[in-house]
Amino acid sequence: MTSKKQLQLAYGLAIGLFIVGVVCYAYTAFSAKPLDQPIRLMYKVAAGNVLFDHQTHADESGYGLSCADCHHHPEEDEEANQACGNCHVIPSEAEPVPKTCLDCHEADEIEDAIPMKRSDAFHKQCGNCHAEIEAGPLEKECNSCHVR
Amino acid sequence: MDKAKKFIVSHAPFWHNGNSVNERYYHIMIAALPAVLLGIKQYGIPAVGVVALSVSSAILWELAMNYLTHRPITIADGNAALIGLLFAMAVPATMPWWAVLTGTFICVVIGKHIFGGIGSNAFNPVVLAVAMVMVSWKDLFDFDGALLNYDLDMVMAYPLAAVKHFGVGAIESFSTADLLLGRQSGGIGATFGLGLILGGIYLIIRGFIRWEISVSFLLGVFLTAWIFNLAAPDRFAGPTFHLLTGYTLIGAFFLATEDSSSPVNFIPMLIYGAAGGVLTVLIRNIGAHVDGVVYAILTINLVNPLLDKIRPKAVGKVV
C-alpha cells in the first residue's frame, strides 16, 4: 500500500464509520421497545448492588414460578404484573396514597392499608419464598444478593 | 519546521521486523477482527455503533491534534484507528456515545499526544483510557448491569464478577469450550478466546508483537491462579478460567505488547510480562476490582523504563 492510499483509507474510515456509528446509535435509541417482562434487573443499593434474574425465576426452563407468586395484588389478575415499586412506595405529603391504587380503589377505602416500602417488600417476599422452597438466598444471607 | 523529522536514538539492541510502522497497525487490526466480529454477531447493532464510533472518533481526534500542533497528518499510519478498535473491544455494547467519545479522547489526546505522540507514550493509551473511564463511571464497566437486557443463548452472568462475589460454585456452569467460543458476557471484542489466541499467534509469527511478553504474561496468570486455586479451591477459580475470562487474552496479545510502553530486551520482557500476569490474578483474587488486567498493565507500563535498564554489557566498554 502506498501511503497516499492509506491516507485515503483513513479519511474514508473516519467519515464512513462515523456515519455508521451515528446511525446505529440513533437506530438503537429509537427502536427500543419496552419488554413485556424484564430479563434481569439491577438494584443499585448502598449496601451492594442486587442482580435479580427475573427471566430465570419466571421461565419454565428456569425455576418455573408463576407470575402470581410474586405479582400478588390483585390476586390472579394480569393487572398485577407491574413494578412492585408502583404500589410499594413510602407515602409523601403530595401522594398520601400511591397513585396506582386509585386506578382501582377510592382513596378513603385504603388509607389504612398502605403497603410497606419496596425494599422491605423485596426482603420479605424474596426471603420468604427462598425459605419456603429451601433454595435461593435467605433474608439474612445478605451477601448472596448484595454484592460490592 | 513542519516537515522536520525528529530522530531520537536510544541504546542497543534494536529490533526491526522489516515492516514499516504503518503495515504493522493494519495487521494488528486484522488480527483483532475475528473477536470483534463475534461480539457484533452477539450484541448486534449497538455493538456496530460502538465499534464504528470508537474507530472513527479516534481518527478524528488524531486529525484534530495534527492540526492543533501543526504537525504532519499521521492518521494514515493506522495507529489511531487501531487505538479506537481496541478501546471498543474492551467496552460493553451498551456504552453510551458520549463515553465512547470521551474514551477515545483520553486514548488519543491524553494517552498518546500529550506524551509526545507515537512511540513516546509511557502508558498504553487504550489501557489508560479504559482505566480512567472505569474509575469515573464505574457502572459503565459493570458488565452485569450494562448487559441487563441481553438474553443470549448462554450464561449471562459476568464470569469474573460471579466468582469474585459467590465463589467457585457460581462458575460451574461455564465450560472451557464456552469460554473459548465466546459464550460469556463481557467487552465487545474481549470474550472470544479462540479468536484472540489465533490473532495473537498470527501477530507473533509475523513478528508484529513479541512472544516473550504474551507468553510470560499468560504464564504469570496461569501459575498465580494455580497457586491460589490449590490453596483454596472453593474460593479461587482455576488457572484455565482466569486465562479465558475478562481481559486476560486481549491484554496478553493486544495491550501489554504495545511497543513504546513495553521493554525491548529478552529478560526485561519476561519480567514485564510475568509481573503483569501475576498482578492481574492478585488484583482479581484479593484486590478490590473484579478484573485486574487494566491496572496490572498500567503498573508494568510504569516500571518499564526501569526494566529496560537491565541490558547486556556493551562489548569492549572500558569505564
Side-chain angles (χ1 to χ4, degrees):
Chain A
M1 256 198 285
T2 65
S3 84
K4 180 137 180 284
K5 269 200 191 137
Q6 283 176 338
L7 192 61
Q8 282 167 348
L9 176 67
Y11 277 115
L13 277 179
I15 297 166
L17 288 181
F18 191 78
I19 295 170
V20 172
V22 171
V23 169
C24 288
Y25 269 95
Y27 174 83
T28 312
F30 290 112
S31 71
K33 49 181 186 301
L35 302 157
D36 30 333
Q37 56 167 287
I39 296 174
R40 269 161 280 125
L41 294 159
M42 178 166 285
Y43 297 97
K44 306 228 153 88
V45 186
N49 292 350
V50 179
L51 185 67
F52 172 54
D53 195 332
H54 188 278
Q55 174 163 283
T56 305
H57 274 78
D59 202 77
E60 279 303 324
S61 64
Y63 313 146
L65 303 171
S66 95
C67 311
D69 286 339
C70 304
H71 296 280
H72 66 95
H73 189 96
E75 271 170 53
E76 304 298 334
D77 189 329
E78 294 269 307
E79 288 291 319
N81 293 338
Q82 52 174 305
C84 319
N86 289 354
C87 298
H88 291 272
V89 286
I90 304 172
S92 64
E93 285 286 327
E95 211 182 311
V97 176
K99 264 210 307 292
T100 1
C101 313
L102 305 178
D103 292 350
C104 308
H105 298 284
E106 297 298 328
D108 51 353
E109 182 185 321
I110 49 169
E111 264 163 0
D112 312 324
I114 305 301
M116 63 184 88
K117 68 171 178 174
R118 189 174 70 169
S119 52
D120 293 340
F122 282 154
H123 284 142
K124 191 157 177 192
Q125 194 190 65
C126 312
N128 281 353
C129 174
H130 294 154
E132 249 168 60
I133 296 188
E134 294 183 4
L138 301 176
E139 192 177 336
K140 60 176 190 299
E141 293 167 352
C142 318
N143 294 335
S144 306
C145 289
H146 293 280
V147 304
R148 287 169 183 277
Chain B
M1 214 15 225
D2 252 5
K3 299 271 183 256
K5 295 277 187 303
K6 167 174 88 163
F7 191 58
I8 299 176
V9 182
S10 67
H11 57 77
F14 305 109
W15 177 63
H16 200 292
N17 58 21
N19 287 288
S20 65
V21 193
N22 304 14
E23 228 183 292
R24 180 161 184 250
Y25 297 127
Y26 287 105
H27 279 279
I28 300 180
M29 278 191 266
I30 290 168
L33 223 48
V36 178
L37 289 178
L38 186 81
I40 288 178
K41 178 173 169 286
Q42 286 175 325
Y43 297 107
I45 302 285
V48 179
V50 173
V51 173
L53 193 66
S54 184
V55 173
S56 60
S57 63
I59 301 177
L60 293 173
W61 289 126
E62 174 101 357
L63 198 59
M65 284 311 282
N66 290 156
Y67 278 115
L68 279 177
T69 55
H70 306 293
R71 302 232 134 221
I73 305 297
T74 52
I75 60 171
D77 65 17
N79 182 253
L82 172 64
I83 287 179
L85 186 67
L86 290 175
F87 182 77
M89 289 168 75
V91 307
T94 50
M95 197 75 159
W97 60 268
W98 53 265
V100 174
L101 294 187
T102 313
T104 52
F105 174 85
I106 300 175
C107 288
V108 173
V109 178
I110 300 179
K112 183 176 165 191
H113 281 280
I114 287 189
F115 284 102
I118 199 165
S120 308
N121 48 301
F123 298 99
N124 181 324
V126 177
V127 178
L128 189 71
V130 170
M132 284 173 80
V133 176
M134 213 180 239
V135 171
S136 313
W137 298 281
K138 212 164 105 240
D139 290 346
L140 293 182
F141 277 94
D142 177 349
F143 290 102
D144 280 328
L147 301 173
L148 280 179
N149 292 327
Y150 275 100
D151 176 31
L152 307 176
D153 181 25
M154 60 196 199
V155 184
M156 285 303 294
Y158 184 55
L160 285 175
V163 72
K164 178 145 201 143
H165 300 313
F166 306 120
V168 171
I171 53 163
E172 277 160 3
S173 41
F174 293 102
S175 71
T176 301
D178 280 350
L179 298 176
L180 271 172
L181 295 177
R183 297 167 52 75
Q184 54 170 322
S185 77
I188 293 172
T191 58
F192 184 17
L194 202 59
L196 290 167
I197 293 171
L198 290 179
I201 291 176
Y202 168 77
L203 292 175
I204 287 173
I205 291 176
R206 294 292 311 268
F208 292 120
I209 61 173
R210 305 302 306 261
W211 65 268
E212 293 90 336
I213 295 175
S214 302
V215 170
S216 57
F217 187 96
L218 293 174
L219 267 178
V221 168
F222 188 91
L223 291 177
T224 319
W226 197 23
I227 294 170
F228 270 102
N229 183 241
L230 285 179
D234 52 336
R235 224 180 115 202
F236 300 118
T240 322
F241 177 84
H242 277 287
L243 283 182
L244 300 178
T245 51
Y247 294 146
T248 307
L249 291 172
I250 191 180
F253 293 117
F254 292 89
L255 300 176
T257 50
E258 200 264 338
D259 41 2
S260 84
S261 52
S262 64
V264 289
N265 288 311
F266 182 68
I267 301 287
M269 280 196 282
L270 294 185
I271 300 177
Y272 171 92
V278 172
L279 272 176
T280 295
V281 177
L282 284 179
I283 297 174
R284 283 181 184 179
N285 279 352
I286 53 179
H289 303 280
V290 168
D291 196 354
V293 171
V294 165
Y295 300 103
I297 293 184
L298 283 185
T299 313
I300 54 176
N301 284 170
L302 195 66
V303 296
N304 166 39
L306 273 180
L307 288 177
D308 250 350
K309 297 233 178 293
I310 309 175
R311 57 177 189 255
K313 281 212 186 74
V315 183
K317 196 174 169 193
V318 189
V319 184

